[in-house]
Amino acid sequence: MRHLRQSSESYRPSTLRYISLERRVSTPNALWLSIGRTSDNDVVVNDYAVTRHHARFRKVPGAGYVIEDLNSVNGTALDGVWLEAGVQTRVNSGQSLRFGRLSFTFLEPSDFHAFLVTLVPLS
């Protein structure tokens, strides 16, 4: 089996989408925001290259955010560097994240708001 992190194939999405992540319901693992392919994740990414339980985020008081790869098959990359599974890595606003073949930009809430204002100027 050839994994995507070893592939030279590139994937270019045809649609640019924005999502704001906010936990509305308390869950047993409320400190973490999970990302994966199945519906029991906080963020569901319906793509074959994303593992059922791919990665997770959490905010560390006074230290920003961390991400952890959950031993995913196709890996998690931060600014093009593949993360070691099970190791919490600091992620800063504006950094690029890759889950399998899909790329995202991590934005803290204030930066996300500032970005949205540039799309729809206030009158």
Side-chain angles (χ1 to χ4, degrees):
M1 174 189 256
R2 191 175 95 182
H3 299 297
L4 289 174
R5 87 165 63 181
Q6 299 165 341
S7 172
S8 62
E9 300 171 23
S10 64
Y11 174 77
R12 302 263 182 223
S14 59
T15 305
L16 187 58
R17 296 187 178 129
Y18 306 98
I19 57 173
S20 177
L21 307 178
E22 179 182 340
R23 184 179 318 273
R24 296 181 191 275
V25 179
S26 181
T27 62
N29 202 5
L31 292 177
W32 291 95
L33 186 81
S34 63
I35 297 172
R37 198 177 65 236
T38 58
S39 63
D40 59 338
N41 288 284
D42 298 303
V43 178
V44 177
V45 180
N46 188 14
D47 186 86
Y48 73 89
V50 175
T51 306
R52 290 183 188 114
H53 299 102
H54 198 97
R56 61 187 184 167
F57 286 99
R58 77 180 172 107
K59 186 172 184 176
V60 178
Y65 294 85
V66 294
I67 185 169
E68 179 181 353
D69 180 84
L70 298 176
N71 201 26
S72 62
V73 173
N74 291 311
T76 301
L78 178 63
D79 284 341
V81 177
W82 294 104
L83 302 180
E84 184 178 339
V87 175
Q88 294 178 25
T89 304
R90 182 174 169 124
V91 59
N92 297 308
S93 196
Q95 286 188 290
S96 172
L97 289 166
R98 182 171 168 184
F99 304 110
R101 66 183 187 143
L102 302 177
S103 294
F104 300 86
T105 300
F106 178 80
L107 294 175
E108 292 188 29
S110 60
D111 293 329
F112 182 65
H113 177 265
F115 173 73
L116 290 177
V117 169
T118 66
L119 296 177
V120 183
L122 300 175
S123 302

